[in-house]
Amino acid sequence: MSAESGLIISFCFILRWCFSEMKYIKRFISEIPWNYSWYYSAMSLIERQSEGRQSEEQVRYLQANSRELNSTFGYPNNTIKTSRYSVFNFLPLNLFEQFQRLANAYFLILLFLQLIPQISSLAWYTTVIPLMVVLSITAVKDAIDDMKRHQNDNQVNNRCVLVVMNGRIKEDKWMNIQVGDIIKLKNNQSVTADMLLLSSSEPCGLTYIETAELDGETNLKVKQAISVTSDLEDNLGLLSAFDGKVRCESPNNKLDKFTGILNYKGKNYILDHDKLLLRGCIIRNTDWCYGLVIYTGPDTKLMQNCGKSTFKRTHMDHLLNVLVLWIFLFLGSMCFILAIGHGIWENKRGYYFQDFLPWKEYVSSSVVSAVLIFWSYFIILNTMVPISLYVSVEIIRLGNSYYINWDRKMFCAPKNTPAQARTTTLNEELGQVKYVFSDKTGTLTQNIMIFNKCSINGIFYGGVYDKHGQRVDVSEETEKVDFSYNKLADPKFSFYDKTLVEAVKKGDRWVHLFFLSLSLCHTVMSEEKVEGKLMYQAQSPDEGALVTAARNFGFVFRSRTSETIVVVEMGETKVYQLLAILDFNNVRKRMSVIVRTPEDRVMLFCKGADTVLCRRLHPSCTSLRDVTMEHLDDFAVEGLRTLMVAYRELDNAFYQAWSKKHSEACLSLENREDKMSDVYEEIEKDLMLLGATAIEDKLQDGVPETITTLNKAKIKMWVLTGDKQETAVNIAYACNIFEDEMDGMFIVEGKNDETVRQELRSARVKMKPESLLESDPVNIYLTTKPHMPFRVPEEVPNGNYGLIINGYSLDVNETWSLRFPELYDPGQHNLYFNKKEFVKCLVRGIYSSFVLFFIPMRTVHNSVRSDGKEISDYQSFSLIVQTALLCVVTTQIALDTTYWTVISHIFTWGSLGFYFCILIFLYSDGLCLTFPNVFQFLGVARNTLNLPQMWLIIILSVVLCILPVIGYQFLKPLFWPVNVDKIMDRIHLCTRPPLPPPTRTKLKHTSARRSAYAFSHKQGFGALITSGKTMKDRVFKKNSFPFKK
């Protein structure tokens, strides 16, 4: 980043998740039947705390499999509507929106004025026809946009889903689903409506979902049904007989909040968002699941977050309205001056000239005549209002939307998806973007974690070297490690350093212990429906990548129960007794497991952030820690997500004493979280360091290059991420949002307004020391008018800094546009369409008007044709001026066009030719003889076009109107150059395509950029695993296989 390209700010918004006590005791209370006193007190709490509920519905009541009862509450069906218009309201609503444009409103007023005979000087159809053309073109465009929305709504509403009815499965459409229905979803199906999970094909009613359409996260999340309904399984008889009653909060837009109570067989069960499947989610890795529909259609949380569609207007629309208002004022001033002059003339001369020019019967004085003539001029001069400009803009917008849809370079081949302009209203805004707000997951990154490198016992693994011992980058030609010796290896896993495999095969003790730690210290759940084909379900993709790496190197996590973990170590199956899981959370930044090995040794394995684990290492690990930290620095420079791995062998007596404290802390109802944290601290110390891992969170293709280009174009990039600070910094460096050459980095960690304000002021002072001056506008505002609205001016810092908070208008091809993103700058600042440019056009228009009037007038004055007849009649004069004007405009368009295509030739020269054809037709003999009262100027066009003076006038007018423009365009880059002019000169001097930008060399940084894994990782399935509910005998019988030893 450079000072020239402005301050590029990365906004890494840190979401600090607070885990309440209910998180830890959830597994104990979710199935406790509560009495009715708790039922009513809980529901009163719901009524008090449920925010955003609909005013007409305080609490929702429903009963499963009872459409008749549920219909009495008037709940909507599952139909959704994102379209804005219908057949009945399209015309009035669209016209209302269009008449918000001042030009359209002006011509509507003008139409009414023309209906008044006393002031009307033009026929009413001269206004109606162009106005109808403008309104019709815009209406057709808006109708096409809305038809696409209707088509999308119909496609969604007519999807099919399976519904349980009367002991049978019936296929029905989404739009027919009602509250209280029980529906069946299969793997990879979208969730039809917000529904309470009843049962699934997975152990203990677990269901895995993908929420990418809701929050952009592609990693799987888990939902779990309560046991009383999970026992229903896929028994249609039991499901049809299920008559549970649900009382829950009213519809709202909170995706992570849901409270309710299920009453079934006289017992009540607490419901929360972990048991709710939301519309927009996709079922993954789950054969089937059943759910009770709670919210449908517009009541679903997805639709509650959509909001109402509003009429959007672009910056150009707003500016056009302002300019049209200026034109109105100018027009009114002209009409007022002309009316005053008319009144003076009528008072001094016209009053005494009535014998020859009598006043109309409704004109009683010169003042009345002046008032009437004011409105007459208002009608005559209507051509000053550029209604045709709106037509041009609408056509350009429509054409640009099709260009976007047809752009082959915006086509996504892997998904067979083209770019799609979903609206034709906002296209030009793409050339005026100043800020880009981006999500991280699924936008900047693919959310695909790959085990890339590691450090074990001070030895670096993962590098690739050539035959000369030089480090080389991995390419498609690089030979992969052969894992054929491991029949349970994942064929998708790739690794390139053969030395690590050799160390595993040689039986290196530390390498074996390292991968054993990765295969045990996690909360991943394994599924093996086909023998030898393992599928891992991880709450975090990081954990999945680590367990998969251990699997390929010979330490295969195969299955688990609430008390055991089965690992296949180098072909030998071993069963480890699971004693405790010390799960991850945002404060601990680590997780541990305690197991008893087959050799009856009690071992603790721990992984987490180096900033946390370093303080808990045994003093004997000092030298190994220093070497590993150097490796972590190298990993961090490459933008990899890192964590440390350590272990501790526990004395049996010590463990028994600790286990007793752990059990007491788990059962505590007061300060439970603090007590458990203290217990964890007692055992997670004096750890022996094993090494560190480095995981690559793969970026989307071209992300760093794209952001570099955006930076050069002075587009500020803000990234919103739920990760912790270290992860945010890592991603910022990897994406080129942050650069090694920055002068500094500011971290805002305040938790209240005043602290944040002070931190931002300190950062601003460092970036711009002159901001301390009393003359600084921001300081003046803060000290004098703190409550008045104030727009903070954009500032350029004295250096390059990063901040962490805990166009297409130029005629160059895409190659040069990407090479010189600064060409985008004029669009951001509206350099080509603003009030200043409008004034320039106004001055130029006045000058052209003088030329187009006086040149023809002086040329034809006292001139005669070859037969001696005069040619200076009004009709011939107006025809000459009009033809000269069109020739001038066409020439200007031709000079402004850089790239000529067949289409541009057709429209440029074709429009001029079309004008002459219309001209000849309107003045033709047949038309004049057929309608003599309307077309009264027979032969004018033929006679005028044959005059040599006509063509002389056209040549003189074109030269005099175009010459100043050419001179200005030539002199401006020489005497008043801007950045774009300089870049265009560089482009014109280049004869060869530009070389690709040089690869940026990276420098080492401190540990502030490490430990991304530990911060981005989420709380796993620890509580679920230790609760003993993840496995059932019936599941083992169906899905397990005998282990080979």
Side-chain angles (χ1 to χ4, degrees):
M1 291 179 287
S2 63
E4 181 181 337
S5 57
L7 175 59
I8 308 302
I9 302 176
S10 170
F11 178 48
C12 303
F13 188 84
I14 308 306
L15 300 178
R16 302 182 180 273
W17 296 100
C18 299
F19 293 91
S20 64
E21 295 181 1
M22 292 299 294
K23 278 285 184 181
Y24 293 93
I25 61 175
K26 175 176 58 180
R27 63 180 186 271
F28 298 108
I29 68 170
S30 61
E31 299 181 45
I32 298 178
W34 302 88
N35 58 28
Y36 282 98
S37 63
W38 168 253
Y39 175 85
Y40 290 113
S41 62
M43 291 318 301
S44 65
L45 181 63
I46 292 174
E47 294 176 8
R48 291 194 305 269
Q49 295 183 346
S50 179
E51 299 177 6
R53 56 179 176 255
Q54 299 175 341
S55 59
E56 69 275 7
E57 181 184 351
Q58 299 298 319
V59 177
R60 171 158 294 204
Y61 303 87
L62 62 102
Q63 182 175 359
N65 292 313
S66 181
R67 283 193 171 187
E68 183 178 356
L69 173 63
N70 298 327
S71 62
T72 60
F73 296 103
Y75 300 137
N77 60 21
N78 204 37
T79 303
I80 64 167
K81 177 186 176 184
T82 60
S83 57
R84 295 167 55 189
Y85 307 112
S86 67
V87 176
F88 302 103
N89 69 6
F90 173 75
L91 190 59
L93 185 57
N94 188 261
L95 288 177
F96 172 76
E97 293 171 350
Q98 291 201 57
F99 281 117
Q100 292 184 37
R101 293 173 173 168
L102 291 181
N104 292 346
Y106 164 76
F107 277 91
L108 182 62
I109 296 173
L110 193 67
L111 175 60
F112 289 117
L113 292 176
Q114 286 181 313
L115 297 177
I116 303 175
Q118 289 80 2
I119 62 175
S120 179
S121 51
L122 295 173
W124 60 270
Y125 53 79
T126 59
T127 298
V128 170
I129 293 176
L131 181 61
M132 288 185 62
V133 170
V134 172
L135 297 178
S136 299
I137 291 176
T138 304
V140 169
K141 180 183 68 67
D142 292 342
I144 292 174
D145 285 345
D146 209 57
M147 284 178 62
K148 293 178 181 178
R149 300 188 191 100
H150 276 285
Q151 291 172 357
N152 183 66
D153 290 346
N154 291 335
Q155 187 269 331
V156 172
N157 291 330
N158 287 282
R159 290 177 182 173
C160 293
V161 67
L162 300 177
V163 186
V164 177
M165 284 191 175
N166 301 322
R168 299 173 59 187
I169 291 288
K170 173 188 174 184
E171 188 176 89
D172 206 345
K173 294 180 179 180
W174 277 31
M175 62 182 178
N176 296 330
I177 298 302
Q178 298 182 17
V179 171
D181 288 351
I182 295 179
I183 60 178
K184 178 181 181 180
L185 298 176
K186 297 182 180 180
N187 191 34
N188 297 326
Q189 275 191 327
S190 297
V191 177
T192 308
D194 293 354
M195 65 183 201
L196 174 67
L197 180 61
L198 297 179
S199 62
S200 77
S201 59
E202 302 306 299
C204 199
L206 296 179
T207 297
Y208 302 96
I209 60 171
E210 179 184 290
T211 60
E213 291 190 17
L214 296 178
D215 55 18
E217 296 285 346
T218 55
N219 56 293
L220 300 185
K221 297 179 175 60
V222 65
K223 300 288 184 177
Q224 182 186 8
I226 55 179
S227 61
V228 68
T229 60
S230 63
D231 292 337
L232 301 175
E233 299 182 339
D234 58 347
N235 189 313
L236 297 181
L238 295 178
L239 289 168
S240 297
F242 179 70
D243 60 351
K245 302 178 182 63
V246 174
R247 188 180 184 192
C248 61
E249 63 188 10
S250 62
N252 58 72
N253 61 355
K254 296 182 179 180
L255 298 176
D256 59 345
K257 301 290 184 182
F258 176 72
T259 54
I261 291 178
L262 169 67
N263 177 262
Y264 182 54
K265 294 183 178 179
K267 297 181 180 179
N268 299 310
Y269 303 87
I270 299 296
L271 305 178
D272 56 26
H273 74 280
D274 287 333
K275 299 171 180 61
L276 192 69
L277 301 181
L278 300 182
R279 178 173 184 147
C281 299
I282 299 177
I283 306 298
R284 299 294 191 197
N285 300 338
T286 305
D287 290 340
W288 52 262
C289 68
Y290 289 87
L292 171 63
V293 176
I294 304 294
Y295 304 118
T296 52
D299 289 346
T300 59
K301 292 182 180 292
L302 176 65
M303 297 304 297
Q304 289 279 312
N305 277 278
C306 289
K308 296 182 179 179
S309 60
T310 58
F311 177 63
K312 299 178 181 178
R313 291 190 293 176
T314 65
H315 177 272
M316 181 178 290
D317 288 330
H318 288 287
L319 183 57
L320 277 175
N321 274 351
V322 173
L323 298 181
V324 168
L325 184 59
W326 286 12
I327 293 174
F328 285 164
L329 296 176
F330 184 69
L331 174 61
S333 301
M334 289 181 59
C335 295
F336 181 76
I337 293 173
L338 292 172
I340 293 295
H342 173 81
I344 294 173
W345 187 90
E346 288 288 353
N347 184 55
K348 293 184 178 294
R349 299 289 181 90
Y351 178 79
Y352 304 102
F353 205 64
Q354 294 188 52
D355 290 339
F356 301 95
L357 291 176
W359 288 354
K360 300 292 184 180
E361 61 276 5
Y362 47 80
V363 177
S364 58
S365 66
S366 59
V367 175
V368 174
S369 180
V371 172
L372 295 177
I373 206 68
F374 172 86
W375 293 109
S376 295
Y377 278 123
F378 194 80
I379 295 173
I380 294 173
L381 299 177
N382 70 81
T383 53
M384 290 189 61
V385 180
I387 190 172
S388 61
L389 180 60
Y390 286 104
V391 179
S392 302
V393 169
E394 295 298 338
I395 293 175
I396 291 172
R397 285 172 175 169
L398 183 62
N400 282 337
S401 68
Y402 282 103
Y403 277 127
I404 293 173
N405 296 342
W406 295 339
D407 195 333
R408 294 184 178 182
K409 293 190 176 182
M410 296 176 69
F411 179 78
C412 180
K415 295 186 177 180
N416 192 32
T417 304
Q420 184 176 3
R422 297 185 179 274
T423 177
T424 59
T425 307
L426 308 172
N427 294 338
E428 72 269 15
E429 295 287 280
L430 294 174
Q432 300 172 324
V433 174
K434 290 185 179 181
Y435 298 91
V436 172
F437 293 83
S438 172
D439 182 27
K440 177 186 75 70
T441 305
T443 305
L444 299 182
T445 69
Q446 301 178 24
N447 204 29
I448 299 176
M449 308 301 173
I450 298 177
F451 183 85
N452 193 286
K453 294 178 177 64
C454 64
S455 172
I456 305 176
N457 195 33
I459 301 176
F460 174 87
Y461 296 101
V464 181
Y465 304 88
D466 59 16
K467 59 183 179 180
H468 303 293
Q470 298 295 322
R471 182 86 172 267
V472 295
D473 294 329
V474 175
S475 64
E476 294 181 359
E477 291 76 22
T478 306
E479 184 179 359
K480 299 180 181 179
V481 171
D482 183 13
F483 292 106
S484 59
Y485 68 91
N486 183 1
K487 296 182 179 179
L488 294 176
D490 185 350
K492 300 178 182 178
F493 181 82
S494 298
F495 201 75
Y496 301 93
D497 188 357
K498 298 180 180 179
T499 59
L500 184 55
V501 176
E502 294 172 357
V504 172
K505 292 181 178 178
K506 290 179 180 178
D508 186 300
R509 174 175 177 265
W510 298 109
V511 173
H512 279 213
L513 195 57
F514 177 84
F515 284 116
L516 177 62
S517 175
L518 296 184
S519 66
L520 292 173
C521 186
H522 58 81
T523 59
V524 175
M525 303 179 72
S526 175
E527 185 177 14
E528 189 175 3
K529 296 185 177 180
V530 178
E531 185 174 3
K533 303 293 183 180
L534 293 173
M535 291 183 62
Y536 291 149
Q537 307 291 349
Q539 184 77 343
S540 165
D542 303 78
E543 279 213 322
L546 294 175
V547 176
T548 300
R551 167 185 174 181
N552 279 264
F553 284 102
F555 290 78
V556 183
F557 163 64
R558 192 155 192 178
S559 65
R560 77 186 321 146
T561 68
S562 60
E563 298 179 350
T564 62
I565 300 177
V566 179
V567 178
V568 180
E569 300 179 14
M570 302 302 291
E572 180 182 357
T573 300
K574 293 186 177 181
V575 179
Y576 290 82
Q577 182 181 356
L578 180 61
L579 302 178
I581 295 180
L582 285 60
D583 208 353
F584 175 93
N585 67 33
N586 286 357
V587 178
R588 287 168 37 76
K589 303 175 185 175
R590 65 191 184 278
M591 77 158 293
S592 302
V593 296
I594 303 176
V595 298
R596 188 180 299 275
T597 69
E599 295 81 18
D600 200 29
R601 298 164 57 193
V602 179
M603 304 286 291
L604 178 145
F605 294 100
C606 182
K607 65 181 180 185
D610 59 283
T611 54
V612 174
L613 258 64
C614 282
R615 301 195 301 265
R616 290 166 175 78
L617 294 178
H618 193 275
S620 62
C621 298
T622 302
S623 59
L624 177 58
R625 180 197 62 191
D626 294 340
V627 175
T628 304
M629 292 293 285
E630 292 182 4
H631 292 165
L632 285 172
D633 282 335
D634 294 334
F635 298 156
V637 167
E638 299 180 38
L640 302 177
R641 303 154 68 93
T642 64
L643 78 162
M644 273 187 170
V645 182
Y647 80 101
R648 179 186 179 186
E649 185 168 356
L650 303 174
D651 178 74
N652 191 62
F654 171 78
Y655 167 72
Q656 294 297 336
W658 177 88
S659 180
K660 183 177 180 181
K661 296 180 182 178
H662 180 251
S663 299
E664 293 174 354
C666 287
L667 297 176
S668 176
L669 295 179
E670 295 183 0
N671 300 323
R672 180 174 175 274
E673 186 175 353
D674 294 336
K675 291 180 180 179
M676 292 191 67
S677 179
D678 294 338
V679 172
Y680 290 166
E681 290 285 343
E682 290 183 17
I683 202 168
E684 289 177 326
K685 61 183 181 180
D686 294 335
L687 302 175
M688 302 301 296
L689 180 61
L690 287 173
T693 64
I695 296 177
E696 180 184 5
D697 184 6
K698 290 186 70 65
L699 295 174
Q700 301 277 6
D701 295 337
V703 164
E705 296 80 5
T706 301
I707 292 180
T708 299
T709 302
L710 293 176
N711 291 346
K712 291 181 180 178
K714 298 183 181 179
I715 298 177
K716 286 113 179 134
M717 187 77 180
W718 292 62
V719 176
L720 180 67
T721 173
D723 295 331
K724 284 295 182 178
Q725 177 181 308
E726 284 78 354
T727 306
V729 175
N730 254 358
I731 294 298
Y733 275 103
C735 296
N736 287 348
I737 298 175
F738 285 176
E739 293 185 352
D740 297 314
E741 296 79 13
M742 289 191 307
D743 296 298
M745 182 188 302
F746 304 104
I747 301 176
V748 178
E749 298 179 307
K751 298 182 179 179
N752 56 68
D753 294 345
E754 185 59 34
T755 305
V756 171
R757 186 179 295 110
Q758 291 298 331
E759 290 174 334
L760 290 175
R761 285 180 181 174
S762 300
R764 183 169 178 266
V765 167
K766 185 173 181 180
M767 290 187 290
K768 290 184 71 68
E770 60 268 26
S771 63
L772 291 173
L773 300 176
E774 294 183 358
S775 58
D776 182 72
V778 178
N779 290 335
I780 294 174
Y781 161 71
L782 293 175
T783 55
T784 59
K785 299 179 180 179
H787 301 294
M788 298 293 292
F790 178 72
R791 181 176 181 179
V792 179
E794 292 192 18
E795 299 178 307
V796 178
N798 301 335
N800 307 314
Y801 300 89
L803 175 65
I804 308 167
I805 301 181
N806 220 9
Y808 49 77
S809 60
L810 290 175
D811 291 313
V812 294
N813 59 37
E814 68 275 7
T815 302
W816 296 115
S817 297
L818 294 176
R819 180 64 175 175
F820 299 105
E822 295 87 350
L823 293 171
Y824 185 82
D825 185 61
Q828 290 179 316
H829 298 91
N830 301 303
L831 297 184
Y832 298 135
F833 187 67
N834 52 45
K835 297 174 183 177
K836 182 179 179 181
E837 291 298 316
F838 172 75
V839 173
K840 288 182 182 179
C841 292
L842 183 63
V843 173
R844 179 182 169 189
I846 294 174
Y847 166 76
S848 299
S849 299
F850 277 103
V851 171
L852 291 171
F853 179 80
F854 286 105
I855 292 296
M857 186 187 74
R858 300 305 301 173
T859 302
V860 302
H861 181 63
N862 294 331
S863 298
V864 295
R865 297 187 312 189
S866 58
D867 57 2
K869 294 182 178 180
E870 291 189 4
I871 61 174
S872 56
D873 61 278
Y874 289 142
Q875 189 64 21
S876 299
F877 178 77
S878 64
L879 182 62
I880 293 173
V881 173
Q882 178 178 289
T883 306
L885 171 62
L886 287 175
C887 291
V888 168
V889 172
T890 304
T891 305
Q892 182 63 61
I893 291 174
L895 291 175
D896 289 341
T897 302
T898 302
Y899 293 109
W900 285 94
T901 63
V902 175
I903 296 177
S904 58
H905 277 293
I906 291 175
F907 279 93
T908 302
W909 310 118
S911 61
L912 189 60
F914 182 72
Y915 161 73
F916 282 105
C917 293
I918 291 295
L919 187 66
I920 295 172
F921 172 74
L922 292 177
Y923 290 93
S924 64
D925 296 347
L927 199 61
C928 291
L929 294 175
T930 306
F931 304 100
N933 293 329
V934 179
F935 302 96
Q936 302 175 356
F937 304 97
L938 179 64
V940 171
R942 181 173 59 253
N943 295 331
T944 304
L945 293 176
N946 288 330
L947 293 174
Q949 292 93 333
M950 164 80 172
W951 303 105
L952 175 62
I953 291 170
I954 291 176
I955 294 174
L956 288 175
S957 300
V958 169
V959 171
L960 291 177
C961 288
I962 298 299
L963 193 60
V965 178
I966 296 177
Y968 175 77
Q969 291 179 348
F970 175 76
L971 296 176
K972 180 177 177 292
L974 297 178
F975 296 99
W976 309 284
V978 294
N979 289 337
V980 174
D981 297 324
K982 298 175 183 177
I983 295 170
M984 293 300 292
D985 289 338
R986 293 170 61 186
I987 292 176
H988 293 152
L989 291 174
C990 294
T991 57
R992 293 181 299 175
L995 297 174
T999 305
R1000 179 170 63 90
T1001 57
K1002 298 191 177 185
L1003 304 176
K1004 290 192 175 183
H1005 294 270
T1006 62
S1007 60
R1009 286 180 54 191
R1010 294 200 299 272
S1011 306
Y1013 164 84
F1015 292 100
S1016 68
H1017 182 49
K1018 299 177 181 178
Q1019 186 165 11
F1021 301 137
L1024 190 62
I1025 293 169
T1026 54
S1027 68
K1029 298 193 296 184
T1030 58
M1031 297 295 174
K1032 295 187 178 181
D1033 293 338
R1034 59 178 177 83
V1035 178
F1036 274 133
K1037 291 177 182 178
K1038 183 165 55 176
N1039 294 337
S1040 61
F1041 298 90
F1043 300 122
K1044 296 180 180 180
K1045 297 186 178 181

